[in-house]
């Protein structure tokens, strides 16, 4: 059996969508004491985001800045877990592999908010969990 080209090497981050950014930030940064790496508003991704380090991974807090898929998610499902991101060695190869197994990929790889390239997999094809695959290569590398 050949080795999967989608073999994930680590969890990069867990993403949590919130309504009250400041309260969420206070909980993760001050109560749980996670190290804050970055807080930013990204027009490209349509979110205000905070990245907090825990071990070799991050917790990502996101709040939608306006209309869009994340605002829709929040309206429909409420605040809470949004997605888990797995790092893979090479994103396009990993997407080929999972697509070959019948898992729908949501769009072309795009630049991640914290570098690298990211793509999402359809939650209906992953038993209900939104999964992001990411690598550490810049989009222009490919
Ligand atoms: Zn993510």
């Amino acid at each position: 059996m050949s080795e999967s080209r989608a073999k994930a090497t680590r969890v990069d981050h867990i993403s949590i969508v919130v309504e009250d950014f400041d309260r969420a930030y206070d909980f993760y940064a001050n109560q749980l004491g996670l190290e804050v790496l970055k807080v930013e508003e990204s027009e490209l991704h349509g979110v205000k985001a905070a990245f907090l380090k825990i071990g070799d991974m991050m917790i990502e807090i996101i709040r939608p800045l306006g209309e869009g898929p994340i605002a829709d998610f929040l309206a429909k499902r409420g605040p809470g877990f949004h997605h888990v991101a797995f790092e893979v060695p090479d994103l396009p190869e990993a997407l080929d592999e999972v697509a070959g197994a019948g898992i729908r990929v949501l769009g072309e790889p795009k630049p991640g908010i914290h570098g690298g390239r990211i793509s999402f997999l359809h939650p209906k094809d992953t038993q209900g969990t939104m999964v992001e695959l990411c690598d550490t290569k810049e989009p222009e590398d490919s």
Side-chain angles (χ1 to χ4, degrees):
M1 195 175 142
S2 65
E3 186 155 311
S4 169
R5 290 174 300 151
K7 193 174 175 64
T9 52
R10 51 186 279 276
V11 172
D12 185 75
H13 60 275
I14 290 171
S15 184
I16 295 164
V17 60
V18 301
E19 277 166 349
D20 189 329
F21 188 89
D22 293 340
R23 282 188 65 186
Y25 179 92
D26 184 60
F27 174 68
Y28 290 102
N30 299 327
Q31 265 73 62
L32 293 184
L34 306 191
E35 179 191 345
V36 179
L37 297 177
K38 186 159 75 167
V39 178
E40 71 171 34
E41 293 196 5
S42 166
E43 292 299 332
L44 174 65
H45 297 87
V47 293
K48 180 171 184 180
F51 301 97
L52 302 105
K53 183 173 151 53
I54 175 80
D56 73 342
M57 61 168 283
M58 293 181 289
I59 301 294
E60 171 186 280
I61 304 169
I62 52 176
R63 180 175 63 74
L65 293 174
E67 300 294 296
I70 295 169
D72 293 346
F73 180 98
L74 189 57
K76 200 164 138 195
R77 302 178 62 165
F81 173 80
H82 187 262
H83 66 267
V84 56
F86 294 99
E87 185 177 321
V88 294
D90 183 87
L91 182 59
E93 280 192 10
L95 295 177
D96 260 11
E97 177 86 19
V98 297
I103 293 167
R104 282 169 286 176
V105 176
L106 302 174
E108 292 294 306
K110 60 180 184 180
I113 197 167
H114 34 72
R117 303 177 290 189
I118 67 169
S119 277
F120 289 95
L121 308 182
H122 199 298
K124 284 215 165 70
D125 296 340
T126 57
Q127 301 296 297
T129 298
M130 177 90 91
V131 171
E132 175 187 323
L133 298 181
C134 61
D135 68 11
T136 58
K137 299 174 182 175
E138 294 308 314
E140 56 269 25
D141 289 352
S142 59

